C-alpha cells in the first residue's frame, strides 16, 4: 500500500471531530481522505456525519467483511469501511477517527500507520463534553473515566510511536501543529495525489 493511514485518537471530547472538520480542506490538498465511520448511533446525533446503523445490521456487515477495522466502546460499535484499502493502494492517504483501545490491532493490519493522540486537560474535557450535550451526565462521567485509561502514566499501553498533540487551547493552534506534524512525518501530496 502506498498511502499512509493516519490514526487519530484521543479521549471522548478531546476534539477529534472538530480537528478533522477544521482540517478538511488542507487534508484534501495533501491527498488525504477522511473516512466516514459506520456507528450504531442515531444518525441525528450531534457531531460527525457517521453512517448510523442498527446493531444487527452492523453485525451483518462485520460478518460480510465490510470493515477494515472495527471495535466496540462506549456501548457502541464502530466500523471503518474496507474501501480504505483501495484508497491506500491507489496512493491516497486516509484519516481515521480511531480508538485508543484498538491501536494495537490497527497496527497489526497497518504497520506503517501514523498514530496521533489528542490530549486535553481533564477539567477542560469535562466542560467541553457538558457543553456539547450529546451524552447524559452519567455517560459523560463514564467517558471521563475512560479518558484516563490510556494516559501516559499507565505505561506502555499507547507505546512510543504515538505522537501527542495538545488541544487544550485554541483549535486553530492545534490545527497548525497537526498539519506540521503530518508534513514532518512525510505525509505529502506527492504521494497522496489529489
Ligand atoms: N480547541 C477547542 N477549543 C474549544 N472547544 C473545542 C476545541 N476543540 C473541540 N472543542 C469542542 O469540544 C467538544 C468536543 O469536541 P469533539 O466532538 O470534536 O470531540 P471528539 O474527540 O470528536 O469526541 P468524541 O470522541 O466523543 O466524538 C465540541 O463541542 C467541540 O466544539
Ligand atoms: O476510548 P477509545 O478507545 O479511545 O475510543 C472509543 C471510541 O469513542 C470515540 O467515539 P465517539 O465518542 O463515540 O464518537 C472514539 O472515536 C472511539 O471510536
Amino acid at each position: 500500500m502506498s498511502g499512509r493511514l493516519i490514526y487519530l485518537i484521543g479521549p471522548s471530547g478531546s476534539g477529534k471531530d472538530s480537528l478533522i472538520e477544521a482540517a478538511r480542506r488542507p487534508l484534501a490538498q495533501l491527498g488525504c481522505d477522511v473516512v466516514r465511520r459506520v456507528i450504531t448511533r442515531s444518525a441525528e446525533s450531534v457531531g460527525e456525519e457517521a453512517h448510523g446503523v442498527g446493531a444487527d445490521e452492523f453485525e451483518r456487515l462485520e460478518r460480510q467483511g465490510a470493515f477494515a477495522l472495527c471495535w466496540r466502546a462506549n456501548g457502541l460499535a464502530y466500523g471503518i469501511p474496507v474501501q480504505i484499502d483501495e484508497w491506500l493502494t491507489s496512493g491516497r492517504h486516509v484519516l481515521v477517527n480511531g480508538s485508543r483501545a484498538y491501536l494495537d490491532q490497527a497496527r497489526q493490519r497497518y504497520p506503517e500507520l501514523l498514530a496521533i493522540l489528542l490530549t486535553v486537560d481533564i477539567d477542560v474535557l469535562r466542560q467541553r463534553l457538558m457543553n456539547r450535550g450529546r451524552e447524559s451526565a452519567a455517560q459523560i462521567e463514564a467517558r471521563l473515566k475512560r479518558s484516563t485509561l490510556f494516559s501516559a502514566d499507565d505505561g506502555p499501553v499507547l507505546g512510543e510511536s504515538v505522537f501527542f498533540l495538545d488541544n487544550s487551547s485554541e483549535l486553530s493552534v492545534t490545527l497548525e501543529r497537526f498539519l506540521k506534524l503530518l508534513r514532518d512525518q512525510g505525509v505529502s501530496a506527492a504521494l497522496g495525489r489529489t
Side-chain angles (χ1 to χ4, degrees), residues 9-186:
I9 47 179
S12 179
S14 57
K16 300 180 294 296
D17 287 327
S18 304
L19 180 61
I20 289 169
E21 277 317 305
R24 238 172 232 283
R25 185 187 284 243
L27 284 173
Q29 287 167 349
L30 284 176
C32 182
D33 295 316
V34 177
V35 66
R36 188 173 179 224
R37 303 193 294 183
V38 178
I39 306 183
T40 56
R41 174 162 57 207
S42 151
E44 287 78 43
S45 296
V46 182
E48 74 182 283
E49 277 188 27
H51 177 198
V53 297
D56 291 348
E57 172 68 358
F58 190 96
E59 280 170 23
R60 194 182 63 77
L61 289 167
E62 188 177 5
R63 278 196 306 274
Q64 278 181 353
F67 301 133
L69 303 169
C70 68
W71 60 89
R72 285 163 176 81
N74 303 320
L76 300 169
Y78 304 79
I80 303 297
V82 74
Q83 282 77 15
I84 67 167
D85 286 348
E86 286 168 31
W87 304 351
L88 291 165
T89 303
S90 73
R92 307 273 314 165
H93 307 301
V94 176
L95 187 138
V96 166
N97 179 344
S99 156
R100 295 165 297 168
Y102 194 75
L103 175 60
D104 286 347
Q105 288 99 311
R107 241 194 243 288
Q108 277 168 26
R109 180 161 174 144
Y110 301 99
E112 303 300 321
L113 69 76
L114 175 59
I116 303 178
L117 174 72
L118 266 191
T119 60
V120 177
D121 297 337
I122 187 87
D123 294 335
V124 178
L125 194 59
R126 173 176 282 106
Q127 198 55 52
R128 287 187 187 167
L129 285 172
M130 284 162 49
N131 291 349
R132 183 173 69 177
R134 190 177 72 188
E135 285 85 16
S136 68
Q139 286 170 329
I140 287 174
E141 281 314 312
R143 282 171 178 250
L144 286 169
K145 203 167 168 197
R146 186 176 171 89
S147 79
T148 59
L149 274 184
F150 308 95
S151 70
D153 297 343
D154 287 343
V157 180
L158 288 177
E160 291 158 10
S161 45
V162 173
F163 291 88
F164 286 66
L165 181 62
D166 186 65
N167 184 36
S168 300
S169 61
E170 288 295 313
L171 187 62
S172 57
V173 175
T174 312
L175 175 61
E176 285 313 310
R177 289 186 187 144
F178 175 61
L179 296 174
K180 179 173 186 310
L181 175 55
L182 295 185
R183 285 193 300 270
D184 289 351
Q185 290 305 307

